[in-house]
Amino acid sequence: MGGAVVRNKVKRRLRHLIRDRLSELPPGSLVVVRALPGAGDAEHAQLARDLDAALQRLLGGGAR
């Protein structure tokens, strides 16, 4: 994905995005988010869309 700076940037961005979506998850849920190599170059909005799509699939909403 990149060096430590890129990895930490992606980690901070994903942590921020998931924090806003925790209320959608059932209580006691454990979620692991794995960033793929393109995440370091992705814009914030794209990461948000990808995370929303993954959570929708996880929660049984199907893929869009």
Side-chain angles (χ1 to χ4, degrees):
M1 178 181 354
V5 172
V6 174
R7 286 193 310 270
N8 285 324
K9 179 178 106 175
V10 171
K11 181 171 56 174
R12 285 191 310 270
R13 291 166 83 191
L14 287 171
R15 192 177 293 147
H16 173 77
L17 289 168
I18 198 72
R19 188 178 299 126
D20 294 338
R21 292 153 175 82
L22 286 176
S23 62
E24 300 173 24
L25 300 173
S29 296
L30 296 176
V31 178
V32 175
V33 178
R34 190 181 99 199
L36 297 176
D41 296 326
E43 300 213 0
H44 186 78
Q46 183 62 48
L47 284 177
R49 284 191 298 273
D50 291 347
L51 182 60
D52 287 339
L55 287 174
Q56 189 172 14
R57 285 191 305 270
L58 175 71
L59 297 172
R64 281 189 178 189

